[in-house]
Amino acid sequence: MAAEPMLTWIDERLGLAAWARAGLRKVFPDHWSFLLGEVALFCLVVLVLTGVFLTLFYVPDATSVTYSGPWAPLRGQSVSAAFDSVMRLSFEVRAGLVMRQIHHWAALVFVAAIVVHLLRIFFTGAFRRPREINWLVGIGLLLLALTMGITGYSLPDDLLSGTGLRVIYSVVIAIPFIGPYLAFLVFGGEFPTPEIISRLFVFHVMLLPALLIGGVLVHLAILVRHKHSQYAVPGATEENVVGRAFWPSQVFKSTGLAILTAAVLALMGGLIQINPIWAYGPFDATTVSSPAQPDWYAGWLDGALRLFPPIEITALGITIPSPFIPGVLLPGVAFGVMTLWPFLEAWVTGDHAEHQLLDGPREKPLRTAFGVAGLLVFVILTLAGGNDVVALVFGVPVEAMTNILRVAIVAVPLLGFGLTYRICRELFDRREAPGQRRASVRLRRTAAGGFEEIEPD
Amino acid sequence: MNASRGVALALAVSIAGSLALVVIYVVGGSIQQQGIGLALALGGVGTAIVIWAVALIEAPIEIEERHSFATGREHAVVVDSGTGTQEISRRRFLARLLAGAVGILGAALVMPAFSLGPQPGTDLFRTAWRRGLRLVDLGNRPIRPDDLVADSVTTVFPEGFVGRPDSQTLLIKVSPSDLALPSDRAAWAPEGCVAYSKVCTHAGCPVGLYRAKEHLLLCPCHQSTFDVLRGATPIFGPAARPLPQLPMEVDADGYLVALGDFPEPIGPGFWDMTHTPADGG
Ligand code: FES
């Protein structure tokens, strides 16, 4: 075989064989929940590949041109060159629309996979020492992914995304005092500005991807350094990793997963319409699309804006704009608590020890209850983000729906917290903590006929 | 000259260069000045580090064995950071100066970010509306109260500024007897015509829907609802401020004309919105 001398030739020059051998023998715990992060990674690959294709056709230019393409309803209308290029991509470039739709779906699944991965980490306590740094890197990646989503969503310069940008602008100027300055720096002046499209483009295709990919590499390097955490399966201890070797089992599994992820995204991109900008029409500062629903991960922020009561206090010459609390403070606190969670938990519980074995959610009732309450806040705010649609579904007036949700946003998370706490305690007590390493007692018969306990090691 | 003095001098040059860069940016200096300032700021730090390395650090010559790359032999890695760290801590003053110079250089390098946007100035407080500007529709036609159908809504702009986003205004005609405007604004509704800013006071969406029967304006973004008869006060949803009302009258030719800009800032709020900056216009 030619492979053997080839590998030897390379090893004599780079000396990588030992490193590669160790890498190939790296043990992966055998549990589906460890694949969630991988799904996110593979979505990123799909995003990069489809994104490169889209970049070749997209024109980041707000100059207005007359639409003259094949979509009759818009023909003759004045649109931006950016919108025009996305229309051409959708209707005239062969395979353009499928690339666009795969890209959009991949973005949605990307964020979803990151969030589910994060929930797994949270509910099993995988963020505890020594993994706090990687938790921070992960939160950074989530924020980057969200920013990628929002900047990309706005690039087609259609009416829907323009409305989203406008709300973001209004939230930025609600930041205490520096808000207007910041908004003018980011947007290049008072909204709407012609500059914003080319700026979003630079962020979306250069700065953010570089940071995102760099961050992913750091995230993975730290993972390799730590080795995987693991569930308390038979044989698993704080000092080992029980599972299967990277080669061949995990390589095959992951490669399969990567291709299947791409397959599912292709299916979604081909069959499920997303962001039909021709139906929304081009951005126009004096009209608004209704009902306007953002991508799923931004809905909760819009929901918070909808639910917050009409309070705008002016005192001592200072006005607290009404979007400040739901639009600035709430996400700030939410991401702040999330970021600091490993440190908060260690501080509250006094547990600063290293943990390689994962918790079952029921073993940590407080953490689990807190996580469930947070999830419920997210769910209700997301519902509120579509309160007009929800009201339609239930046949209630929007006003009543809003008031119901205003009560729910306080009551449901509290109830959820209490209930989860109770259930965890019950389960834990009844089953004597099956997920945890049982402090087994081993007895030895003594010569005298009695029993003595052997100290666990 | 003593080497550590050289280092300090180079760092001082860098600091001076960085500060000069900030000044040059703020007052808008020439490209030559920008280039020279940046070169001094970077060159000072670079020179300082090089002098430090060449003249001050007494690093012994060490020998690290080279191994054949083929795997199988043990690598002997010598890590001794002690000397290096001592070197830095011994020269505390220079180390601090270096950190300071790098910090100031960093600040100077951020300055170009301010090129990204203008200062807000009066932009958030003013629109294009001025005394004497007629209200025109999207087709640039001036409007007489009689042209308006009762309970219809028209998007209007100041004459000469059609399409300008911050000046978009809703013109609605209602029966004058239904109006219950604040007393100081009673004159702003000639023949039952009222004009309100179209930019929502919540988060800036165009307030696009009019429920004529109830005389309510609705913002589709987050469902803020404004009562047209009572000065566009919000009655539902997250908006807390009324839509600013445009002062207007009918001019000698019978057309609607503005009496001035909106009395308050339009659109979404900000922290110092009550401090209208002084301006000439
Ligand atoms: S922007 Fe009008 S209700 Fe929020």
Side-chain angles (χ1 to χ4, degrees):
Chain A
M1 290 280 284
E4 189 75 35
M6 185 70 178
L7 289 177
T8 312
W9 188 88
I10 293 174
D11 183 50
E12 281 164 4
R13 276 146 192 87
L14 296 175
L16 294 177
W19 182 82
R21 200 174 303 138
L24 293 176
R25 259 196 247 126
K26 182 179 153 45
V27 170
F28 280 67
D30 212 7
H31 195 276
W32 61 269
S33 70
F34 288 97
L35 300 178
L36 295 166
E38 291 193 16
V39 172
L41 180 65
F42 303 142
C43 284
L44 180 60
V45 174
V46 171
L47 282 167
V48 170
L49 294 177
T50 50
V52 168
F53 182 87
L54 299 180
T55 313
L56 297 175
F57 298 92
Y58 177 73
V59 179
D61 181 2
T63 315
S64 72
V65 298
T66 304
Y67 179 71
S68 57
W71 179 250
L74 287 182
R75 213 173 291 151
Q77 206 167 313
S78 116
V79 302
S80 70
F83 183 87
D84 189 53
S85 72
V86 182
M87 287 297 282
R88 197 167 343 110
L89 191 54
S90 305
F91 286 99
E92 291 160 75
V93 174
R94 195 168 290 183
L97 185 57
V98 80
M99 289 286 190
R100 243 198 81 209
Q101 297 209 136
I102 292 176
H103 192 75
H104 202 136
W105 277 118
L108 298 189
V109 178
F110 179 50
V111 180
I114 293 177
V115 169
V116 180
H117 172 63
L118 180 144
L119 291 176
R120 196 280 290 174
I121 304 283
F122 179 85
F123 284 112
T124 59
F127 52 79
R128 291 171 300 173
R129 184 175 169 190
R131 295 189 172 75
E132 303 98 321
I133 297 175
N134 226 12
W135 170 267
L136 295 180
V137 176
I139 298 286
L141 288 173
L142 170 63
L143 288 174
L144 281 171
L146 291 174
T147 322
M148 279 298 271
I150 288 162
T151 51
Y153 178 74
S154 308
L155 286 178
D157 201 21
D158 59 290
L159 192 52
L160 192 54
S161 68
T163 304
L165 273 186
R166 177 193 293 282
V167 173
I168 291 171
Y169 167 85
S170 303
V171 167
V172 175
I173 73 166
I175 294 171
F177 304 108
I178 61 162
Y181 295 87
L182 202 62
F184 272 52
L185 284 185
V186 174
F187 285 80
E190 189 177 5
F191 185 89
T193 55
E195 286 94 338
I196 192 64
I197 287 297
S198 53
R199 289 191 183 176
L200 290 171
F201 182 66
V202 171
F203 273 89
H204 188 74
V205 307
M206 286 176 66
L207 286 173
L208 296 172
L211 290 173
L212 191 62
I213 292 170
V216 167
L217 294 179
V218 172
H219 202 57
L220 293 177
I222 296 179
L223 162 77
V224 171
R225 177 93 188 115
H226 281 152
K227 299 190 170 65
H228 278 70
S229 55
Q230 58 186 342
Y231 294 100
V233 294
T237 70
E238 293 283 357
E239 282 80 38
N240 65 12
V241 188
V242 177
R244 288 178 225 282
F246 184 52
W247 177 262
S249 133
Q250 192 62 33
V251 170
F252 273 63
K253 268 191 218 163
S254 293
T255 312
L257 182 65
I259 295 169
L260 288 177
T261 305
V264 170
L265 293 176
L267 202 65
M268 294 172 89
L271 301 187
I272 317 175
Q273 188 185 60
I274 187 157
N275 206 21
I277 58 155
W278 52 90
Y280 308 145
F283 176 69
D284 164 13
T286 63
T287 41
V288 61
S289 61
S290 167
Q293 309 301 344
D295 276 343
W296 75 268
Y297 47 78
W300 65 287
L301 291 169
D302 205 50
L305 286 175
R306 288 178 192 217
L307 281 198
F308 193 71
I311 299 174
E312 198 158 77
I313 302 161
T314 299
L316 308 168
I318 291 169
T319 306
I320 303 179
S322 57
F324 172 70
I325 292 179
V328 179
L329 201 62
L330 172 87
V333 169
F335 281 105
V337 170
M338 222 152 86
T339 307
L340 296 179
W341 184 268
F343 309 101
L344 292 175
E345 192 186 290
W347 177 61
V348 169
T349 60
D351 178 0
H352 298 280
E354 232 175 65
H355 291 282
Q356 304 295 347
L357 287 178
L358 296 171
D359 294 325
R362 69 169 76 92
E363 291 162 31
K364 294 282 149 66
L366 257 184
R367 178 203 294 152
T368 305
F370 201 91
V372 168
L375 268 182
L376 287 172
V377 170
F378 176 82
V379 169
I380 291 177
L381 288 181
T382 303
L383 282 179
N387 61 348
D388 36 359
V389 180
V390 178
L392 210 66
V393 170
F394 288 103
V396 246
V398 176
E399 287 82 356
M401 196 67 231
T402 301
N403 286 328
I404 293 171
L405 287 168
R406 276 177 183 160
V407 176
I409 189 62
V410 180
V412 173
L414 283 177
L415 266 177
F417 185 92
L419 215 62
T420 310
Y421 187 80
R422 271 316 300 260
I423 292 174
C424 288
R425 291 309 295 253
E426 290 276 309
L427 286 174
F428 187 65
D429 292 348
R430 202 179 304 162
R431 296 219 229 148
E432 296 171 307
Q436 219 176 34
R437 258 192 324 160
R438 222 166 297 171
S440 55
V441 179
R442 287 164 68 202
L443 300 177
R444 177 198 294 147
R445 183 138 188 210
T446 60
F451 291 96
E452 68 177 19
E453 208 178 310
I454 305 172
E455 287 295 315
D457 30 39
Chain B
M1 187 173 59
N2 166 328
S4 40
R5 252 193 241 145
V7 174
L9 184 68
L11 290 176
V13 168
S14 167
I15 291 172
S18 297
L19 294 175
L21 260 186
V22 175
V23 174
I24 290 166
Y25 181 82
V26 171
V27 304
S30 69
I31 178 174
Q32 287 82 4
Q33 291 166 342
Q34 291 165 354
I36 292 169
L38 184 55
L40 288 178
L42 290 169
V45 174
T47 310
I49 292 175
V50 170
I51 298 177
W52 195 328
V54 174
L56 295 182
I57 295 181
E58 291 146 14
I61 299 291
E62 288 172 47
I63 296 167
E64 185 188 348
E65 297 300 329
R66 198 187 286 284
H67 298 281
S68 153
F69 280 111
T71 308
R73 251 151 288 184
E74 283 300 304
H75 282 252
V77 182
V78 182
V79 180
D80 180 11
S81 63
T83 6
T85 319
Q86 275 164 23
E87 166 60 30
I88 308 275
S89 54
R90 205 178 47 195
R91 299 184 205 281
R92 186 152 297 157
F93 172 70
L94 285 187
R96 290 216 181 120
L97 195 60
L98 178 64
V102 170
I104 296 170
L105 174 60
L109 292 180
V110 168
M111 296 306 283
F114 289 98
S115 304
L116 289 173
Q119 299 265 319
T122 57
D123 287 10
L124 295 179
F125 295 90
R126 306 296 308 267
T127 71
W129 287 105
R130 294 289 179 277
R131 185 179 191 88
L133 288 181
R134 279 180 178 163
L135 284 66
V136 297
D137 64 11
L138 269 170
N140 213 5
R141 288 174 294 262
I143 298 161
R144 285 198 182 99
D146 292 344
D147 303 338
L148 294 171
V149 182
D151 279 330
S152 67
V153 56
T154 317
T155 300
V156 297
F157 295 92
E159 193 170 18
F161 297 94
V162 171
R164 191 164 135 153
D166 68 351
S167 306
Q168 51 182 315
T169 300
L170 292 166
L171 177 61
I172 301 165
K173 188 176 178 183
V174 295
S175 120
S177 58
D178 289 344
L179 275 173
L181 293 174
S183 54
D184 54 329
R185 297 197 217 155
W188 295 0
E191 298 177 42
C193 296
V194 282
Y196 299 109
S197 164
K198 193 179 177 179
V199 185
C200 187
T201 53
H202 177 231
C205 288
V207 178
L209 306 171
Y210 183 52
R211 274 202 222 141
K213 244 196 302 174
E214 299 130 293
H215 303 290
L216 295 179
L217 279 169
L218 252 117
C219 178
C221 277
H222 316 104
Q223 294 114 18
S224 287
T225 310
F226 304 90
D227 185 343
V228 169
L229 299 179
R230 292 191 295 119
T233 39
I235 58 161
F236 182 77
R241 256 176 304 122
L243 300 170
Q245 186 175 357
L246 184 73
M248 62 176 180
E249 61 177 8
V250 176
D251 68 9
D253 302 324
Y255 292 109
L256 288 169
V257 62
L259 287 168
D261 201 350
F262 291 105
E264 315 95 45
I266 58 121
F270 45 98
W271 287 65
D272 52 355
M273 65 186 303
T274 49
H275 300 269
T276 315
D279 73 326

